[in-house]
Amino acid sequence: MNKMSHKEIVKIKLNDKQMQENLMNAMHTLQRNRLKVIDDKFKDWQGLRSKAKQAKNNALMSLKDRLLEFEKNASANGMIVHWADTKEEACELIYELMVQKNITKILKGKSMASEEIGLNHYLENKGFKAIETDLGELILQLNDENPVHIVVPAIHRNRYEIGKIFEEKLGSALESEPEKLNAIARKHLRNEFEGLKLGLSGVNFAMSKEGAFWLIENEGNGRMCTTAPDIHIALCGIEKVMESFEDAATMVSLLTPSATGQFIPTYNNIITGPRKNGDLDGPKEVHIVLFNNNRTNMLSNEDYYEALRCIRCGACMNFCPVYDQIGGHTYQTTYPGPIGEVISPNIFGIDYTGDILTFCSLCGRCSEVCPVRIPLADLIRKLRRDKVGQGDNPPIGANLVKHNKAEAFAFARFKDLATNGNLWKFSLSKAHYFNSLLHSFKDSLPVIKNWSTFKELPQIKKDLYKEIEKLEGVIYE
């Protein structure tokens, strides 16, 4: 896929005032909802976070055993378990199953895993149809867009824009009321569900002891995709496999409040196998594809394995002051926002996605709100270190990153300045005098060109250090 330069797309998105307004309205609502449900419904939110972190770490540190136990118990429950090391293998498995069953159309519940492996485009190139049934994903598919968020994929569109998309793509009357827009989508999708043979879903959590997996949703389309067709395929990253139902329940208790500010999801679907004798509905076959796609590389990296705890709640995006200015499409990768800045370089390669590491102010809000305590800001800082060749255990693709010698020289001099107390104090007090010089020669100075496009050196009028010394409880050395 041809990618626009990040500098170009950032400029475009910073001037997209409608997108920024849509995102800000939505993000502030999600933030308020999250804070309210935590205050109203939870007695020990922080304790629950710690419990979830430990449960996830336990599963990751015994992942081989968890996967083998899941395969054994899921198979005993009547599921068919498939293994895929790469995204290409995962796509091919699903394609071959469709060929074997003589099926050319698949209806999909919401699945970021399918976005990660590029399933829709793979099947379309083979002449097959992959139809999204999640409302947000449907809007994007009709408008030929990628998801902008991992939980609410069309959050950058308001109801008036969605009404125009439905009018243009579905031939419906122009509407803007949410109820009428939902009715248009429901009518369209009900026609697609008629005669459905194959449905696909993602997996929120899999439980190795029970040999089952858990799907949560709010629209009901996921339940349709997993119960209405004869065949159900579930696509599951290997890090989603946990030990027990109790562990998964802990995760769900954190996921829904963190994602949308709800106490519980509208639908909890726990899949234990295909239709059994006497059952009136449900699929005749349940296939689950466990795929790796560089997750084992990530797990073995002591600097970045913690990001595999991610439960895909999107809270880090909802609170990110950079994301709500530039939107998810600017990242040009499946997973945007702070979590995307960590897992994308590890899954897709830091040579391919490393530019997104600049989309962070290191404010730390993402680390603060992550329900499973992933230290996202710290991991982003480490990835920046690896990108310039200073790390000892970098992610995949680091050997293909070209290092700028002039940039390395500039940062070495900055280090000298920043680690000399007297020189640093003097520089801060006089920095603003160099703004005109900086702008005059910015095109010939490494690093400065990009930095000075949006920033100026500050003028500090007071003696900063004396002011700090006045603060109660601060000991300045």
Side-chain angles (χ1 to χ4, degrees):
M1 180 180 69
N2 294 325
K3 294 173 65 177
M4 185 184 298
S5 78
H6 281 103
K7 186 184 297 185
E8 291 174 325
I9 196 168
V10 164
K11 287 183 177 179
I12 292 171
K13 296 303 181 181
L14 286 175
N15 289 312
D16 190 341
K17 301 306 178 184
Q18 184 62 66
M19 178 206 70
Q20 291 176 346
E21 181 183 344
N22 296 345
L23 284 175
M24 291 291 284
N25 289 337
M27 295 304 172
H28 288 165
T29 299
L30 292 171
Q31 291 169 14
R32 288 192 297 269
N33 290 348
R34 173 187 174 275
L35 294 171
K36 186 175 189 307
V37 76
I38 290 173
D39 288 342
D40 291 349
K41 299 292 187 180
F42 291 87
K43 293 183 178 180
D44 187 12
W45 177 258
Q46 299 306 328
L48 191 63
R49 291 176 73 199
S50 297
K51 181 180 178 181
K53 174 184 176 180
Q54 189 60 53
K56 256 295 190 175
N57 281 349
N58 290 342
L60 292 172
M61 293 304 104
S62 61
L63 187 56
K64 180 179 178 181
D65 293 337
R66 298 282 71 75
L67 291 170
L68 293 176
E69 183 177 51
F70 177 81
E71 180 184 38
K72 175 184 175 181
N73 292 330
S75 299
N77 289 340
M79 299 188 205
I80 302 170
V81 180
H82 306 266
W83 298 88
D85 186 44
T86 66
K87 59 182 182 180
E88 290 81 11
E89 288 180 13
C91 287
E92 190 172 351
L93 274 168
I94 296 168
Y95 165 69
E96 288 179 350
L97 185 60
M98 294 178 73
V99 171
Q100 177 188 341
K101 302 295 183 179
N102 195 29
I103 294 171
T104 59
K105 181 176 77 172
I106 183 171
L107 261 61
K108 299 172 62 224
K110 186 175 180 300
S111 168
M112 289 306 296
S114 72
E115 297 285 347
E116 178 185 328
I117 67 174
L119 179 63
N120 288 15
H121 292 299
Y122 182 94
L123 293 179
E124 287 164 11
N125 289 338
K126 299 287 187 180
F128 291 177
K129 291 179 67 176
I131 300 172
E132 300 289 352
T133 65
D134 173 84
L135 178 57
E137 294 281 3
L138 171 65
I139 293 164
L140 297 178
Q141 188 173 46
L142 291 173
N143 209 40
D144 195 25
E145 291 184 89
N146 294 320
V148 78
H149 191 283
I150 63 175
V151 176
V152 272
I155 198 171
H156 62 304
R157 295 292 182 192
N158 63 35
R159 55 196 177 104
Y160 303 102
E161 292 171 308
I162 294 168
K164 290 179 180 178
I165 292 171
F166 282 179
E167 179 190 36
E168 180 182 343
K169 304 296 182 178
L170 298 180
S172 62
L174 181 61
E175 301 287 356
S176 60
E177 295 180 22
E179 293 81 4
K180 292 182 179 180
L181 294 174
N182 280 328
I184 292 169
R186 185 182 296 113
K187 180 180 179 181
H188 168 71
L189 290 173
R190 288 288 174 174
N191 292 333
E192 296 290 352
F193 275 115
E194 289 184 8
L196 175 62
K197 298 295 183 183
L198 176 59
L200 181 136
S201 74
V203 171
N204 288 107
F205 305 102
M207 295 81 80
S208 65
K209 282 187 175 180
E210 289 80 8
F213 57 93
W214 197 331
L215 306 172
I216 64 174
E217 54 155 333
N218 283 323
E219 297 179 17
N221 63 299
R223 183 164 292 182
M224 291 287 285
C225 287
T226 59
T227 59
D230 291 334
I231 303 169
H232 169 207
I233 300 175
L235 190 58
C236 179
I238 56 174
E239 85 284 6
K240 299 291 186 72
V241 180
M242 305 193 66
E243 184 172 4
S244 66
F245 177 86
E246 288 75 13
D247 288 343
T250 299
M251 300 300 156
V252 174
S253 298
L254 288 164
L255 173 54
T256 315
S258 299
T260 59
Q262 297 167 266
F263 181 52
I264 57 173
T266 306
Y267 296 93
N268 282 287
N269 306 303
I270 299 173
I271 311 297
T272 58
R275 179 191 307 187
K276 297 177 175 59
N277 291 335
D279 289 348
L280 299 179
D281 58 13
K284 298 175 182 177
E285 295 181 20
V286 175
H287 298 256
I288 182 163
V289 179
L290 297 169
F291 75 102
N292 181 1
N293 201 26
N294 289 318
R295 283 162 172 76
T296 49
N297 290 329
M298 195 172 171
L299 182 61
S300 65
N301 192 313
E302 62 182 4
D303 285 335
Y304 303 119
Y305 78 91
E306 288 188 278
L308 289 172
R309 288 203 300 268
C310 177
I311 58 175
R312 304 294 192 267
C313 69
C316 60
M317 299 172 203
N318 300 344
F319 282 83
C320 178
V322 177
Y323 177 92
D324 63 21
Q325 292 298 308
I326 62 176
H329 286 157
T330 309
Y331 295 77
Q332 299 187 89
T333 183
T334 305
Y335 303 106
I339 186 62
E341 290 184 51
V342 176
I343 62 177
S344 293
N346 279 279
I347 290 177
F348 303 113
I350 195 170
D351 56 319
Y352 185 67
T353 59
D355 285 351
I356 65 176
L357 294 169
T358 62
F359 300 163
C360 177
S361 66
L362 296 179
C363 69
R365 293 175 77 184
C366 52
S367 306
E368 182 181 345
V369 301
C370 175
V372 287
R373 299 188 184 277
I374 302 172
L376 289 163
D378 189 46
L379 301 188
I380 292 169
R381 180 188 59 77
K382 289 179 178 179
L383 282 163
R384 289 178 174 180
R385 172 204 66 192
D386 288 337
K387 187 185 175 187
V388 297
Q390 296 179 354
D392 297 325
N393 195 23
I396 60 171
N399 60 321
L400 300 175
V401 175
K402 295 181 180 179
H403 299 134
N404 187 318
K405 292 182 179 179
E407 182 180 275
F409 176 82
F411 276 112
R413 302 291 72 78
F414 177 79
K415 177 184 176 183
D416 294 339
L417 179 69
T419 54
N420 184 310
N422 292 328
L423 194 56
W424 181 250
K425 288 182 183 180
F426 177 79
S427 300
L428 279 184
S429 65
K430 308 299 180 186
H432 62 284
Y433 290 121
F434 293 92
N435 273 319
S436 59
L437 186 66
L438 182 147
H439 289 295
S440 298
F441 294 96
K442 66 179 182 180
D443 291 340
S444 59
L445 296 173
V447 183
I448 298 298
K449 179 178 180 180
N450 291 335
W451 188 89
S452 64
T453 301
F454 302 102
K455 302 179 181 72
E456 288 192 342
L457 295 167
Q459 180 178 5
I460 300 176
K461 296 182 179 180
K462 292 185 177 181
D463 188 324
L464 176 63
Y465 298 94
K466 286 186 177 180
E467 294 299 318
I468 291 175
E469 287 176 344
K470 295 177 183 178
L471 296 176
E472 183 177 352
V474 173
I475 299 175
Y476 187 79
E477 297 179 353

